[in-house]
Amino acid sequence: MNRLTPVRGRFAPSPTGSLHLGSLLAALGSYLHAKIQGGEWWLRIEDVDRDREVPSAAQSQLDSLRRFGLQWDGEVVRQSARDALYQAALDNLLARDLAFECHCSRNDLAASAGLHHDCLARSKRPQPAFRFRVATGCKVAFHDEILGPQSQQVDREVGDFVLKRADGHWAYQLAVVVDDGAQGITEVVRGADLVDSTARQILLQKALGLPTPRYLHLPLLLDENGRKLSKSLAALPLDAGDALPALRLVWQALGQPAAAVAAAANPKQFLSLALANFEPSRIPTRPSALHNMVFTNPA
Ligand code: GLU
């Protein structure tokens, strides 16, 4: 990364429900990582999948972030307003034969475990999907600043991947790459559930002539049964009550010492102590078990 390039991180929630502890962890981790470098922290609402969108979820997420004191820079970007950018990227790839129209159904791909290598469809669908062409033997290696060296054999593990779905929705992979590029994002700090998408995103960046940001994938939060904390687990509502216990909890899940923020009496004080004490090298590589972290606010 060029030293003159300003650091710009982002938080990119999908509006499928209220902010939960897992998304707060990504929000706080990406915020602190950008801010300790004097960088900016942008917010992008990833609402390309209108079928999964919950009305008012985006507004509730913005309200929660404000309540946690996590103030973003710049205007909030909404993917639903950016069709033209995604279409231009797809047209660019189609023109260079790096993407193709695909009429295959799930049934057609069942024999290859859902992976697409060659078009097998015998009939045309009224509305095709569009896929990125992954060359045979395509392997992507990258460095994750928390997890270390990563690689994926994209042809064998993923196959030709969807850029625009047959139902007309833009795929996450295309939208995220176009937006990270257009917004000048220099570092992507997000949950480890997305590490698997990174190789596809790097392939798309290269095909579109976009720079590859730094990547840091944060530990997932597990519930008491060792399962990933999902948005469906309503056990830990973030929309009610005091913001501090949740902030303390995700701070510890980021591997940071509880004592460093113990004196905070409100989110503003918490964030200033957190910024003064955040040390990315402490972030664990393994998932964090929530039941090992019990917090009460200091009286
Ligand atoms: N919108 C994705 C999510 O809520 C995050 C995408 C990203 O950070 O790249 O899981």
Side-chain angles (χ1 to χ4, degrees):
M1 187 67 54
N2 181 338
R3 278 179 167 276
L4 298 175
T5 309
V7 169
R8 187 175 286 171
R10 52 43 159 209
F11 174 53
S14 305
T16 51
S18 301
L19 212 66
H20 57 107
L21 277 174
S23 39
L24 181 62
L25 182 115
L28 182 66
S30 56
Y31 174 90
L32 292 175
H33 200 266
K35 293 292 172 181
I36 55 164
Q37 301 169 83
E40 295 175 357
W41 184 67
W42 285 51
L43 184 60
R44 183 167 76 227
I45 301 293
E46 300 216 314
D47 53 356
V48 274
D49 188 341
R50 312 215 174 133
D51 300 337
R52 286 182 60 225
E53 184 171 348
V54 173
S56 79
Q59 192 52 48
S60 128
Q61 291 173 338
L62 298 189
D63 293 345
S64 294
L65 290 173
R66 279 198 202 92
R67 220 163 38 81
F68 287 112
L70 295 167
Q71 184 54 55
W72 53 90
D73 296 296
E75 295 280 312
V76 177
V77 164
R78 287 175 194 264
Q79 290 189 326
S80 53
R82 296 163 76 81
D83 283 354
L85 276 177
Y86 308 143
Q87 189 63 53
L90 178 60
D91 289 345
N92 171 340
L93 296 171
L94 286 168
R96 292 182 296 136
D97 201 31
L98 297 173
F100 61 94
E101 185 178 306
C102 174
H103 292 266
C104 292
S105 66
R106 273 206 191 123
N107 268 349
D108 294 325
L109 304 181
S112 55
L115 301 194
H116 187 285
H117 298 296
D118 297 299
C119 275
L120 304 167
R122 270 177 256 129
S123 56
K124 290 209 161 195
R125 304 165 94 186
Q127 197 175 353
F130 291 88
R131 290 179 184 271
F132 185 76
R133 198 182 297 288
V134 175
T136 306
C138 170
K139 181 175 174 177
V140 173
F142 63 96
H143 180 76
D144 183 281
E145 293 187 26
I146 295 170
L147 302 174
Q150 306 287 312
S151 71
Q152 190 175 55
Q153 191 74 44
V154 186
D155 60 335
R156 282 211 309 256
E157 294 176 46
V158 179
D160 301 323
F161 54 91
V162 173
L163 301 172
K164 189 177 194 185
R165 294 173 5 194
D167 64 8
H169 291 320
W170 295 104
Y172 157 68
Q173 308 294 355
L174 178 75
V176 83
V177 166
V178 168
D179 287 338
D180 283 341
Q183 293 186 273
I185 298 301
T186 60
E187 55 174 50
V188 169
V189 181
R190 60 187 176 190
D193 51 336
L194 291 166
V195 72
D196 186 57
S197 289
T198 308
R200 272 170 275 180
Q201 294 173 13
I202 291 173
L203 274 181
L204 274 175
Q205 287 152 7
K206 294 203 184 314
L208 291 167
L210 296 170
T212 291
R214 297 162 70 190
Y215 284 101
L216 290 85
H217 287 91
L218 304 172
L220 294 182
L221 290 176
L222 303 181
D223 67 14
E224 64 273 22
N225 299 313
R227 289 178 311 213
K228 185 192 154 196
L229 193 75
S230 72
K231 292 172 199 187
S232 57
L233 272 176
L236 296 146
L238 292 183
D239 288 333
D242 190 349
L244 270 177
L247 285 169
R248 293 186 197 284
L249 194 145
V250 295
W251 169 257
Q252 180 165 316
L254 289 168
Q256 310 298 313
V261 290
N266 54 48
K268 196 165 174 237
Q269 288 176 9
F270 171 92
L271 288 176
S272 84
L273 286 170
L275 277 171
N277 290 283
F278 182 60
E279 180 44 72
S281 65
R282 295 194 197 110
I283 298 173
T285 53
R286 290 167 163 275
S288 301
L290 269 184
H291 61 288
N292 290 335
M293 294 176 254
V294 179
F295 281 97
T296 49
N297 272 326

Coordinates of all heavy atoms in Angstrom, one line a residue, residues 136-183:
T136 N -9.3 -23.1 -15.4 CA -8.8 -24.4 -14.8 C -7.5 -24.2 -14.1 O -6.6 -23.5 -14.6 CB -8.7 -25.4 -15.9 OG1 -9.9 -25.5 -16.6 CG2 -8.3 -26.8 -15.4
G137 N -7.4 -24.7 -12.9 CA -6.1 -24.6 -12.1 C -6.0 -23.2 -11.4 O -5.0 -23.0 -10.8
C138 N -7.1 -22.4 -11.4 CA -7.0 -21.1 -10.8 C -6.8 -21.2 -9.3 O -7.7 -21.7 -8.6 CB -8.2 -20.3 -11.2 SG -8.4 -18.7 -10.2
K139 N -5.7 -20.7 -8.7 CA -5.5 -20.7 -7.3 C -5.2 -19.3 -6.9 O -4.4 -18.6 -7.6 CB -4.3 -21.6 -7.0 CG -4.0 -21.7 -5.5 CD -2.9 -22.8 -5.3 CE -2.5 -22.8 -3.8 NZ -1.5 -23.8 -3.5
V140 N -5.8 -18.8 -5.8 CA -5.5 -17.5 -5.3 C -4.9 -17.6 -3.9 O -5.5 -18.2 -3.0 CB -6.8 -16.6 -5.3 CG1 -6.6 -15.3 -4.6 CG2 -7.4 -16.4 -6.7
A141 N -3.8 -16.9 -3.7 CA -3.2 -16.9 -2.4 C -3.2 -15.4 -1.9 O -3.0 -14.5 -2.7 CB -1.7 -17.4 -2.5
F142 N -3.4 -15.2 -0.6 CA -3.4 -13.9 -0.1 C -3.0 -13.9 1.4 O -3.0 -15.0 2.0 CB -4.7 -13.2 -0.3 CG -5.9 -13.8 0.5 CD1 -6.2 -13.3 1.7 CD2 -6.6 -14.9 -0.1 CE1 -7.3 -13.9 2.4 CE2 -7.6 -15.5 0.6 CZ -8.0 -15.0 1.9
H143 N -2.6 -12.8 1.9 CA -2.2 -12.7 3.3 C -3.3 -12.1 4.1 O -3.7 -11.0 3.8 CB -0.9 -11.9 3.4 CG -0.4 -11.8 4.8 ND1 0.2 -12.8 5.4 CD2 -0.5 -10.8 5.7 CE1 0.5 -12.5 6.7 NE2 0.1 -11.2 6.8
D144 N -3.8 -12.8 5.1 CA -4.7 -12.2 6.0 C -3.9 -11.7 7.3 O -3.1 -12.5 7.8 CB -5.8 -13.2 6.4 CG -6.8 -12.5 7.3 OD1 -6.5 -12.4 8.6 OD2 -7.9 -12.2 6.8
E145 N -4.1 -10.5 7.7 CA -3.2 -9.9 8.7 C -3.5 -10.5 10.1 O -2.7 -10.3 11.0 CB -3.3 -8.4 8.7 CG -2.7 -7.9 7.4 CD -2.5 -6.4 7.3 OE1 -2.4 -5.7 8.3 OE2 -2.5 -6.0 6.1
I146 N -4.6 -11.2 10.2 CA -4.8 -12.0 11.5 C -4.6 -13.5 11.3 O -3.9 -14.1 12.1 CB -6.3 -11.7 12.0 CG1 -6.4 -10.2 12.3 CG2 -6.6 -12.6 13.2 CD1 -7.8 -9.8 12.6
L147 N -5.1 -14.0 10.2 CA -5.1 -15.5 10.0 C -3.8 -15.9 9.3 O -3.6 -17.1 9.3 CB -6.3 -15.9 9.2 CG -7.7 -15.6 9.9 CD1 -8.8 -15.9 8.9 CD2 -7.8 -16.2 11.2
G148 N -3.1 -15.0 8.8 CA -1.8 -15.4 8.1 C -2.1 -15.8 6.7 O -3.1 -15.4 6.1
P149 N -1.2 -16.6 6.1 CA -1.3 -16.9 4.6 C -2.5 -17.8 4.4 O -2.8 -18.7 5.1 CB 0.0 -17.7 4.3 CG 0.8 -17.6 5.5 CD 0.0 -17.2 6.7
Q150 N -3.3 -17.4 3.3 CA -4.5 -18.2 3.0 C -4.4 -18.5 1.5 O -3.8 -17.7 0.7 CB -5.7 -17.3 3.2 CG -5.9 -16.7 4.5 CD -6.3 -17.7 5.5 OE1 -7.2 -18.5 5.3 NE2 -5.6 -17.8 6.6
S151 N -5.1 -19.6 1.1 CA -5.2 -19.8 -0.4 C -6.4 -20.6 -0.7 O -6.9 -21.3 0.2 CB -3.9 -20.5 -0.9 OG -3.9 -21.8 -0.4
Q152 N -6.9 -20.5 -1.9 CA -8.0 -21.2 -2.3 C -7.8 -21.7 -3.7 O -7.4 -20.9 -4.6 CB -9.3 -20.4 -2.2 CG -10.6 -21.1 -2.4 CD -11.8 -20.2 -2.1 OE1 -11.9 -19.2 -2.7 NE2 -12.7 -20.7 -1.2
Q153 N -8.1 -22.9 -4.0 CA -8.1 -23.4 -5.4 C -9.5 -23.1 -5.9 O -10.5 -23.9 -5.7 CB -7.9 -25.0 -5.3 CG -7.6 -25.6 -6.6 CD -6.2 -25.3 -7.1 OE1 -5.2 -25.4 -6.4 NE2 -6.2 -25.0 -8.4
V154 N -9.7 -22.0 -6.6 CA -11.0 -21.5 -6.8 C -11.8 -22.3 -7.8 O -13.0 -22.5 -7.7 CB -10.9 -20.0 -7.3 CG1 -12.3 -19.4 -7.4 CG2 -10.1 -19.2 -6.3
D155 N -11.1 -22.9 -8.8 CA -11.8 -23.7 -9.8 C -12.4 -25.0 -9.1 O -13.6 -25.3 -9.3 CB -10.9 -24.1 -11.0 CG -9.7 -24.9 -10.6 OD1 -9.2 -24.8 -9.4 OD2 -9.2 -25.7 -11.4
R156 N -11.6 -25.6 -8.3 CA -12.1 -26.8 -7.6 C -13.1 -26.6 -6.5 O -14.0 -27.3 -6.2 CB -11.0 -27.7 -7.1 CG -10.3 -28.4 -8.3 CD -9.7 -29.7 -7.8 NE -8.9 -29.5 -6.6 CZ -7.6 -29.5 -6.6 NH1 -6.9 -29.7 -7.6 NH2 -6.9 -29.2 -5.5
E157 N -12.8 -25.5 -5.7 CA -13.6 -25.3 -4.5 C -14.9 -24.4 -4.7 O -15.8 -24.5 -4.0 CB -12.8 -24.6 -3.4 CG -11.6 -25.5 -2.9 CD -10.7 -24.9 -1.9 OE1 -11.2 -24.2 -1.0 OE2 -9.5 -25.0 -2.1
V158 N -14.8 -23.6 -5.8 CA -15.9 -22.6 -6.0 C -16.5 -22.8 -7.4 O -17.7 -22.7 -7.6 CB -15.4 -21.2 -5.8 CG1 -16.5 -20.2 -6.0 CG2 -14.8 -21.0 -4.4
G159 N -15.7 -22.9 -8.4 CA -16.2 -22.9 -9.8 C -16.5 -21.6 -10.3 O -16.2 -20.5 -9.7
D160 N -17.1 -21.5 -11.5 CA -17.5 -20.2 -12.1 C -18.6 -19.6 -11.1 O -19.6 -20.3 -10.9 CB -18.1 -20.5 -13.4 CG -17.2 -21.2 -14.4 OD1 -16.0 -20.9 -14.3 OD2 -17.6 -22.0 -15.2
F161 N -18.4 -18.5 -10.6 CA -19.3 -18.0 -9.6 C -20.2 -16.9 -10.2 O -19.9 -16.2 -11.1 CB -18.6 -17.5 -8.3 CG -17.5 -16.5 -8.5 CD1 -17.8 -15.2 -8.5 CD2 -16.2 -16.9 -8.7 CE1 -16.8 -14.2 -8.7 CE2 -15.2 -16.0 -8.9 CZ -15.5 -14.7 -8.9
V162 N -21.4 -16.8 -9.5 CA -22.4 -15.9 -10.0 C -22.1 -14.4 -9.7 O -21.6 -14.0 -8.6 CB -23.8 -16.3 -9.3 CG1 -24.9 -15.3 -9.6 CG2 -24.2 -17.7 -9.7
L163 N -22.4 -13.6 -10.7 CA -22.2 -12.1 -10.6 C -23.6 -11.4 -10.5 O -23.8 -10.4 -9.8 CB -21.4 -11.6 -11.8 CG -20.0 -12.1 -12.0 CD1 -19.4 -11.7 -13.3 CD2 -19.1 -11.7 -10.8
K164 N -24.5 -12.0 -11.3 CA -25.9 -11.5 -11.3 C -26.8 -12.7 -11.3 O -26.6 -13.6 -12.1 CB -26.2 -10.6 -12.5 CG -27.5 -9.9 -12.3 CD -27.8 -9.0 -13.5 CE -28.9 -8.1 -13.2 NZ -29.3 -7.2 -14.3
R165 N -27.7 -12.8 -10.3 CA -28.5 -14.0 -10.2 C -29.6 -14.0 -11.3 O -30.0 -13.0 -11.8 CB -29.1 -14.1 -8.8 CG -28.0 -14.2 -7.8 CD -28.4 -14.1 -6.3 NE -29.8 -14.0 -6.0 CZ -30.3 -13.6 -4.8 NH1 -29.5 -13.4 -3.8 NH2 -31.6 -13.5 -4.6
A166 N -30.2 -15.2 -11.5 CA -31.2 -15.4 -12.5 C -32.5 -14.6 -12.0 O -33.3 -14.3 -12.9 CB -31.5 -16.9 -12.6
D167 N -32.6 -14.3 -10.7 CA -33.8 -13.5 -10.3 C -33.5 -12.0 -10.4 O -34.3 -11.2 -10.0 CB -34.1 -13.9 -8.8 CG -33.0 -13.5 -7.8 OD1 -32.0 -12.8 -8.2 OD2 -33.1 -13.9 -6.7
G168 N -32.4 -11.7 -11.0 CA -32.1 -10.3 -11.3 C -31.3 -9.6 -10.2 O -30.9 -8.4 -10.4
H169 N -31.1 -10.2 -9.1 CA -30.3 -9.5 -8.0 C -28.8 -9.6 -8.3 O -28.3 -10.6 -8.7 CB -30.6 -10.2 -6.7 CG -32.0 -10.0 -6.1 ND1 -32.6 -8.8 -6.2 CD2 -32.8 -10.8 -5.5 CE1 -33.8 -8.9 -5.7 NE2 -34.0 -10.2 -5.2
W170 N -28.1 -8.6 -7.9 CA -26.7 -8.6 -8.0 C -26.1 -9.5 -6.9 O -26.6 -9.5 -5.8 CB -26.1 -7.2 -7.8 CG -26.5 -6.3 -9.0 CD1 -27.5 -5.3 -8.9 CD2 -26.0 -6.3 -10.3 NE1 -27.6 -4.8 -10.2 CE2 -26.7 -5.3 -11.0 CE3 -25.1 -7.1 -11.0 CZ2 -26.5 -5.1 -12.4 CZ3 -24.8 -6.9 -12.3 CH2 -25.6 -5.9 -13.0
A171 N -25.1 -10.2 -7.3 CA -24.5 -11.1 -6.3 C -23.6 -10.3 -5.3 O -22.9 -9.3 -5.8 CB -23.6 -12.2 -7.0
Y172 N -23.5 -10.7 -4.1 CA -22.7 -10.0 -3.1 C -21.2 -9.8 -3.6 O -20.6 -8.8 -3.5 CB -22.7 -10.9 -1.8 CG -21.5 -10.7 -0.9 CD1 -21.3 -9.5 -0.2 CD2 -20.6 -11.7 -0.7 CE1 -20.2 -9.3 0.6 CE2 -19.5 -11.5 0.1 CZ -19.3 -10.3 0.7 OH -18.2 -10.1 1.5
Q173 N -20.6 -10.9 -4.2 CA -19.2 -10.8 -4.7 C -19.0 -9.6 -5.6 O -18.0 -8.9 -5.5 CB -18.8 -12.1 -5.3 CG -19.1 -13.4 -4.6 CD -18.3 -13.5 -3.3 OE1 -17.5 -12.7 -2.9 NE2 -18.6 -14.5 -2.5
L174 N -19.9 -9.5 -6.6 CA -19.7 -8.4 -7.5 C -19.9 -7.0 -6.8 O -19.0 -6.1 -7.0 CB -20.6 -8.5 -8.7 CG -20.4 -7.3 -9.7 CD1 -19.1 -7.5 -10.5 CD2 -21.6 -7.2 -10.7
A175 N -21.0 -6.9 -6.1 CA -21.3 -5.6 -5.5 C -20.2 -5.2 -4.5 O -19.8 -4.0 -4.5 CB -22.6 -5.7 -4.8
V176 N -19.7 -6.1 -3.7 CA -18.7 -5.7 -2.7 C -17.4 -5.3 -3.4 O -16.8 -4.3 -2.9 CB -18.5 -6.9 -1.7 CG1 -17.6 -7.9 -2.2 CG2 -18.1 -6.4 -0.4
V177 N -17.0 -5.9 -4.4 CA -15.8 -5.6 -5.1 C -15.9 -4.2 -5.8 O -15.0 -3.3 -5.7 CB -15.4 -6.7 -6.1 CG1 -14.3 -6.2 -7.1 CG2 -14.9 -7.9 -5.3
V178 N -17.0 -4.0 -6.5 CA -17.2 -2.7 -7.2 C -17.2 -1.6 -6.2 O -16.6 -0.5 -6.3 CB -18.5 -2.8 -8.0 CG1 -18.9 -1.4 -8.5 CG2 -18.4 -3.7 -9.2
D179 N -17.9 -1.8 -5.1 CA -18.1 -0.8 -4.1 C -16.8 -0.5 -3.3 O -16.4 0.7 -3.1 CB -19.2 -1.1 -3.0 CG -20.5 -0.9 -3.7 OD1 -20.6 -0.2 -4.7 OD2 -21.5 -1.5 -3.1
D180 N -16.1 -1.6 -2.9 CA -14.8 -1.3 -2.2 C -13.9 -0.5 -3.1 O -13.1 0.4 -2.7 CB -14.1 -2.7 -1.8 CG -14.8 -3.3 -0.5 OD1 -15.5 -2.5 0.2 OD2 -14.6 -4.5 -0.3
G181 N -13.9 -0.9 -4.4 CA -13.0 -0.1 -5.4 C -13.5 1.3 -5.5 O -12.7 2.2 -5.4
A182 N -14.8 1.5 -5.8 CA -15.3 2.9 -6.0 C -15.2 3.8 -4.8 O -15.0 5.0 -4.9 CB -16.8 2.8 -6.4
Q183 N -15.2 3.2 -3.6 CA -15.1 4.0 -2.4 C -13.7 4.1 -1.9 O -13.5 4.8 -0.9 CB -16.0 3.3 -1.3 CG -17.5 3.3 -1.5 CD -18.2 2.8 -0.3 OE1 -18.4 1.6 -0.1 NE2 -18.6 3.7 0.6

